[in-house]
Amino acid sequence: VLTSISERPDLYLQAEQILLPGLQENINCANLEYFEDFARIISCFACYSENISDALWEFVPLLYQQFDSWGLDFLPNILISYDNIITADREGFAKRNYFELLHKMFIKVMSMGSNELLEPVQVAACQLIELALQNCLGTGDKYVEEILKFSMQRMDQHFYGIALPTVLFNVFGNVLFYNPALTLSLLEKNNWTQTLFTQWFTFFEHFQRVYDRKVTVLGLASIFLVPSAQWPAPVKASIQNVFASCLQILMDATKLRIAKEQTKGEEKPVTFADEALVNTIRNAIETKDSDQLGMGNEDDLRNEFGIPAGEAALDEWINNDPNELEDEDEVTTAIDSVNEVAFFFHSLTALQQHDSSLFTQLCSSLSPDQQKTMQELNSIANQ
């Protein structure tokens, strides 16, 4: 019903007055089986309302309370609600100091160590702190050191898949982009610089999305905005690698964007109907009594919709891979408007102004292929 009136945002304020009071009363442990539905309702109001009302903002601390007391496993659902609210009203997020709540959630989850079942929640925690950094409008400085601390601690522990290290490195990229001078000083103060850069640079080839590459370039290129005299020794020693890596990552991202445009529309998106079908089949497997469901038996459903036998086939059919990050085209972020290629060359201009000899040295160190890449990227930046 809420999505059916999406073209009439003026109606949402009226709907808020009817639905939100009851929603506030019912979001608790006693109704945990409905929590995902509650989160979707909140997201609908945030997405389609003309403004984020004070009543809607009240759900930020309310959802935090549920997370802190019993709802840790629901963090991915909470993340979606928070994302829709915060990105729609960055000023409201900053002035309410809700960064502190998101920071507490991040610390709580990341301090739990390595656990295969916990990794999807830790992925959501990293995305949550990215959300805070990108939307806090400069109000997050006091949280940066602990974000770095718990991120570095988790980097030293075992990973069960590629998703968590990917979003952890995205946290580092976001922190550098948010405040490069502060981040570099804190990395060096705690003797984390060398370790981070060594791990990060060996991970570049594992990035799967344009977004991961974009955040990496925004973070690394931000170093050039800081006067070179303030760079930690490990950064100075690896700055040529930083420069060349940015070029390669940008070119890879450009090629991936083109490839995605060419294949757009070929894959059918997963719908709520698809999810309902998979859940029906799972119920049939569990109960072994699918006739009572009124939906036919498991084999008939699989045959009708072309789903192979086996539990794993259900996940594959619905693209429900716990190790796969969401498609960046389905998510809106505060950095979407930032052109990473243009930002890279903007940062190089800053470097040229405060250390022209180093700028010249870096450019002259490029191979012919790298020089060609730089020229192509410069053309893109000037389009």
Side-chain angles (χ1 to χ4, degrees):
V1 175
L2 287 174
T3 56
S4 68
I5 60 170
S6 59
E7 295 182 0
R8 290 287 308 277
D10 55 300
L11 294 179
Y12 280 89
L13 184 58
Q14 300 176 39
E16 280 189 14
Q17 298 168 4
I18 299 171
L19 294 177
L20 294 192
L23 197 60
Q24 286 182 319
E25 292 180 6
N26 285 284
I27 293 182
N28 53 56
C29 184
N31 295 312
L32 63 86
E33 67 267 31
Y34 303 113
F35 190 84
E36 292 183 19
D37 297 318
F38 293 157
R40 286 181 179 177
I41 293 172
I42 295 169
S43 295
C44 279
F45 278 111
C47 283
Y48 302 123
S49 297
E50 291 180 316
N51 300 292
I52 304 299
S53 65
D54 289 339
L56 200 53
W57 272 116
E58 290 176 4
F59 283 92
V60 173
L62 178 61
L63 292 177
Y64 168 77
Q65 291 166 8
Q66 313 315 306
F67 162 85
D68 196 43
S69 58
W70 60 269
L72 184 142
D73 290 340
F74 288 98
L75 183 57
N77 305 98
I78 295 173
L79 169 65
I80 295 172
S81 297
Y82 278 4
D83 183 45
N84 287 314
I85 293 173
I86 292 169
T87 55
D89 187 3
R90 300 175 69 193
E91 292 79 8
F93 173 64
K95 76 178 184 181
R96 286 174 171 82
N97 194 31
Y98 284 154
F99 197 127
E100 183 174 357
L101 297 183
L102 275 63
H103 172 256
K104 288 179 179 179
M105 298 166 82
F106 175 77
I107 299 304
K108 180 174 182 175
V109 174
M110 302 311 292
S111 63
M112 291 181 172
S114 177
N115 182 304
E116 185 173 7
L117 296 178
L118 186 63
E119 280 210 358
V121 180
Q122 292 181 326
V123 168
C126 290
Q127 294 171 323
L128 187 73
I129 210 66
E130 282 190 88
L131 174 68
L133 287 163
Q134 291 178 6
N135 291 279
C136 71
L137 303 178
T139 62
D141 287 10
K142 63 182 178 181
Y143 306 110
V144 168
E145 186 162 13
E146 281 204 331
I147 292 172
L148 293 172
K149 174 185 174 182
F150 284 90
S151 298
M152 290 299 298
Q153 287 180 358
R154 186 61 186 88
M155 287 300 303
D156 288 338
Q157 299 163 348
H158 179 70
F159 295 109
Y160 291 89
I162 205 73
L164 182 54
T166 297
V167 294
L168 265 172
F169 284 121
N170 288 349
V171 170
F172 292 118
N174 273 280
V175 175
L176 273 168
F177 180 58
Y178 166 74
N179 191 329
L182 175 62
T183 301
L184 289 175
S185 67
L186 291 173
L187 287 172
E188 190 62 10
K189 168 190 167 185
N190 292 281
N191 198 31
W192 294 327
T193 314
Q194 186 64 62
T195 301
L196 170 60
F197 276 73
T198 299
Q199 293 175 327
W200 204 357
F201 277 70
T202 58
F203 194 82
F204 290 160
E205 65 185 42
H206 299 292
F207 287 141
Q208 299 175 352
R209 304 177 301 174
V210 172
Y211 176 82
D212 308 321
R213 295 173 172 87
K214 175 175 184 170
V215 170
T216 297
V217 169
L218 293 180
L220 293 178
S222 295
I223 295 172
F224 297 127
L225 300 175
V226 180
S228 55
Q230 298 178 26
W231 294 349
V235 173
K236 292 180 180 178
S238 61
I239 198 62
Q240 184 174 333
N241 196 11
V242 170
F243 182 52
S245 294
C246 284
L247 289 173
Q248 185 60 54
I249 294 170
L250 283 170
M251 184 53 70
D252 290 344
T254 300
K255 291 178 180 178
L256 181 56
R257 271 202 177 94
I258 294 173
K260 289 184 68 176
E261 283 295 323
Q262 293 173 343
T263 59
K264 185 176 290 187
E266 293 182 5
E267 294 187 2
K268 182 178 78 71
V270 175
T271 65
F272 288 132
D274 296 329
E275 294 177 348
L277 171 63
V278 167
N279 289 335
T280 299
I281 295 175
R282 290 193 196 281
N283 288 335
I285 295 171
E286 292 172 1
T287 63
K288 301 298 183 183
D289 190 17
S290 59
D291 289 340
Q292 293 183 7
L293 298 175
M295 292 286 290
N297 64 40
E298 174 198 347
D299 291 336
D300 289 342
L301 290 169
R302 287 184 183 274
N303 291 335
E304 181 179 355
F305 292 95
I307 306 174
E311 279 282 322
L314 290 174
D315 286 336
E316 184 176 350
W317 186 78
I318 203 168
N319 295 320
N320 187 24
D321 183 355
N323 195 38
E324 184 176 334
L325 293 165
E326 74 279 2
D327 190 331
E328 57 225 323
D329 294 336
E330 300 174 359
V331 180
T332 300
T333 74
I335 62 171
D336 287 350
S337 61
V338 181
N339 183 310
E340 64 272 23
V341 178
F343 182 82
F344 171 69
F345 283 99
H346 164 73
S347 300
L348 287 183
T349 300
L351 172 65
Q352 186 178 23
Q353 291 173 350
H354 64 70
D355 196 335
S356 59
S357 61
L358 177 58
F359 172 79
T360 302
Q361 178 184 335
L362 289 175
C363 291
S364 62
S365 69
L366 296 176
S367 68
D369 287 343
Q370 290 171 328
Q371 291 176 4
K372 180 181 178 182
T373 296
M374 187 168 177
Q375 291 172 357
E376 291 176 1
L377 290 171
N378 193 32
S379 298
I380 294 173
N382 291 325
Q383 289 177 355

